[in-house]
Amino acid sequence: MREFGRGIRMLFAGFGWWGRRPGVMALGLVPAALVGIVLVGLLITLAAFLPGLADATTPFADSWPPALSSAFRIAVGTAFFAGALFLCAITFTALTLMVGEPFYDRVWRSVENGLGGSVPDQPYGFWRAAGDGARLIARGILVALLAGLLGLIPVVGAVAGTVVGTLLTGWLLADELCSRALTARGLDRAARRTLLRAHRGRALGFGVATQLCFLVPLGAVAVMPAAVAGSTMLARALVGESDGLARPVDPSVTSVELSRDRPADPRSAAR
């Protein structure tokens, strides 16, 4: 649970980047808003056609008693919509990172520069982002189907589907959001997932917190820049470069000024 909590703190630390690089973070709202508008429109359309969709997919329930038939179709409709929500969270992340590649590249670099050290230079680029996004959407469809099927279980289905869907979606979000910073450090897809599995609690904490924020109205748009910043800190922590929550380095401070802040060499003091 401590590691899970540290993962949540990584996301909140990403929000803190608004106070340090507001201009760069604001740019990250543009692609998130565009993709968010499209997906919200699709969800509204689905909600409008949901009763008819539930009826069309359960013709066998026509002969059931009306109360039982209505209850079952409401459960089916709820499962459909829950699965759509999880799929939208995954699709939103994948599409936003693809559309906003230049914007989020600036967010990522600002965090890397701000936390000190050299910025990793392994190429990422649009086509790698597109490939990762396509794989993420495919995995997201499987999660949505699983959450929808669990939602059909009587009594406990809604809770089980929500919990399992949130955990799995959170894991996928953590994987995708960390991909840029880890790929830039020379880690391929298999190595990235091995690293995340070794720190499962922290990755889940970050991903689940991000997923829950996405479910808040307009939350996905507002959270996306912070999620990119937080995932960069998470990636740095996972590879041991920092604890991920270190105080950022002010680029206006020169090396001379920094040297003044260092404690004196004990041997010099002795002389």
Side-chain angles (χ1 to χ4, degrees), residues 216-229:
V216 176
L218 299 180
V221 175
V223 170
M224 196 61 193
V228 173

Side-chain angles (χ1 to χ4, degrees), residues 3 10 16 41 43 51 76-77 82 87 92 95 122 125 139 142 146 148-150 153 170 178 200 203 228 236 238 271:
E3 284 294 286
M10 294 289 181
L43 282 175
V76 170
L87 181 58
F92 171 82
L95 292 179
Q122 290 288 333
R139 295 163 71 193
L142 296 177
L146 177 60
L149 290 174
L150 288 174
I153 300 174
C178 288
R200 192 183 305 273
V228 173
R236 289 171 62 94
L238 297 185
R271 288 195 292 268

Side-chain angles (χ1 to χ4, degrees), residues 86-99:
F86 291 124
L87 181 58
C88 277
I90 294 294
T91 304
F92 171 82
T93 303
L95 292 179
T96 302
L97 290 176
M98 282 191 284
V99 172

Side-chain angles (χ1 to χ4, degrees), residues 23-195:
V24 173
M25 296 291 281
L27 287 175
L29 296 175
V30 177
L34 294 175
V35 175
I37 289 170
V38 173
L39 292 181
V40 167
L42 291 175
L43 282 175
I44 292 173
T45 302
L46 174 63
F49 287 96
L50 204 55
L53 181 62
D55 290 345
T57 54
T58 56
F60 52 85
D62 290 341
S63 59
W64 295 2
L68 180 59
S69 175
S70 296
F72 179 73
R73 282 171 169 159
I74 288 173
V76 170
T78 302
F80 271 133
F81 198 75
L85 282 176
F86 291 124
L87 181 58
C88 277
I90 294 294
T91 304
F92 171 82
T93 303
L95 292 179
T96 302
L97 290 176
M98 282 191 284
V99 172
E101 164 64 22
F103 300 92
Y104 297 120
D105 182 72
R106 294 187 63 180
V107 174
W108 166 69
R109 289 183 182 278
S110 75
V111 176
E112 294 281 7
N113 281 315
L115 292 178
S118 61
V119 178
D121 58 0
Q122 290 288 333
Y124 191 71
F126 172 80
W127 292 112
R128 184 185 291 271
D132 285 346
R135 281 184 288 270
L136 178 65
I137 292 173
R139 295 163 71 193
I141 291 173
L142 296 177
V143 170
L145 289 173
L146 177 60
L149 290 174
L150 288 174
L152 298 177
I153 300 174
V155 184
V156 299
V159 174
T162 300
V163 171
V164 171
T166 300
L167 289 174
L168 292 179
T169 302
W171 178 259
L172 295 182
L173 290 179
D175 182 14
E176 177 65 13
L177 287 166
C178 288
S179 61
R180 173 188 297 277
L182 294 178
T183 299
R185 287 165 169 81
L187 277 70
D188 60 17
R189 189 163 56 252
R192 293 198 315 257
R193 290 175 185 166
T194 298
L195 183 63

